[in-house]
Structures are given as C-alpha cells and as structure tokens.
Amino acid sequence: MNTTPKDNPGRHRAGARLARELAGLLLVAAGMLGLVTAAFAVHRLVGTGLVALVLLGSGAWTLYRRPRPSRMALRAGTFCTVAGAALGLAVIWTLTPIGGLAAVSALGISAGLWLTSGEVR
C-alpha cells in the first residue's frame, strides 16, 4: 500500500476532462439543432412549441438550482423562462384563441395567488 500523498490531487488529467465536457456540449448542441430543424420541418408551430419548451425548461432549471445561482445566472434564467412562456402562449393562441385566452387567464390567476401568498424569496 502506498501512503505517500499526491502533489496535486485535483489536477490529474484536467485537460482530458475539459475536452470531454466540450465534446459533450457540442453533441448536445448538434442534437438540439437537428431536433428543432426536424420539428420545424413538420410544422412551424411544432418547432416553435419545442423551442418554447426548451427555453422554459432551461430557465426553470436555472432558477431552481441549488446552491443559489449567481445574479447573472438568475437574470438569464428569468429571461429564458419569460421568453419560453411567451412563445408557448403565442403557439397556444395561434392554434386556438380560446385556448390562448384560457392560458393567459390561468397565468393571471397563478400570478395573483403567488402575490397574495405573502411568501417572499
């Protein structure tokens, strides 16, 4: 058994880990581009709905991450969430105006309940 401590225990093959992360991010980006392109080929509303879901999901994931994200991450998460919700409402409204009105009304009710709950973050 070797009991000598390592000189730099956290720096072992840092370049390989960074290259692996970069390759993973490039694969995710290429896959998302292909998925959105295929959805737009089916119909513009399907593609727009997919983009809205991705924006809404990534924004919500950024906002509810623990430990608390930085200020810039909170701004980016808020922007993605609002943009995704707006795109989703536009898609629903385009498909059926009654559904769009119902979605806007549901958002108004949920915002009112959130404001009256007295809970402050």
Side-chain angles (χ1 to χ4, degrees):
M1 177 158 76
N2 190 0
T3 59
T4 58
K6 292 183 178 180
D7 293 332
N8 292 328
R11 301 293 291 165
H12 183 65
R13 298 189 40 95
R17 284 185 286 181
L18 185 62
R20 183 173 175 223
E21 286 287 326
L22 181 63
L25 288 174
L26 287 175
L27 284 172
V28 168
M32 282 304 299
L33 182 64
L35 188 63
V36 169
T37 303
F40 269 105
V42 171
H43 197 275
R44 287 184 314 197
L45 289 178
V46 174
T48 307
L50 179 65
V51 170
L53 283 175
V54 168
L55 280 173
L56 194 61
S58 64
W61 178 78
T62 303
L63 290 175
Y64 291 110
R65 228 176 21 177
R66 296 289 183 244
R68 191 86 181 182
S70 67
R71 234 180 228 191
M72 190 61 189
L74 284 175
R75 288 180 185 154
T78 303
F79 174 77
C80 285
T81 305
V82 169
L87 270 176
L89 282 175
V91 167
I92 292 171
W93 205 289
T94 302
L95 289 173
T96 171
I98 294 173
L101 182 62
V104 169
S105 299
L107 281 176
I109 290 170
S110 62
L113 288 174
W114 177 70
L115 286 174
T116 59
S117 70
E119 189 175 324
V120 178
R121 284 187 158 196

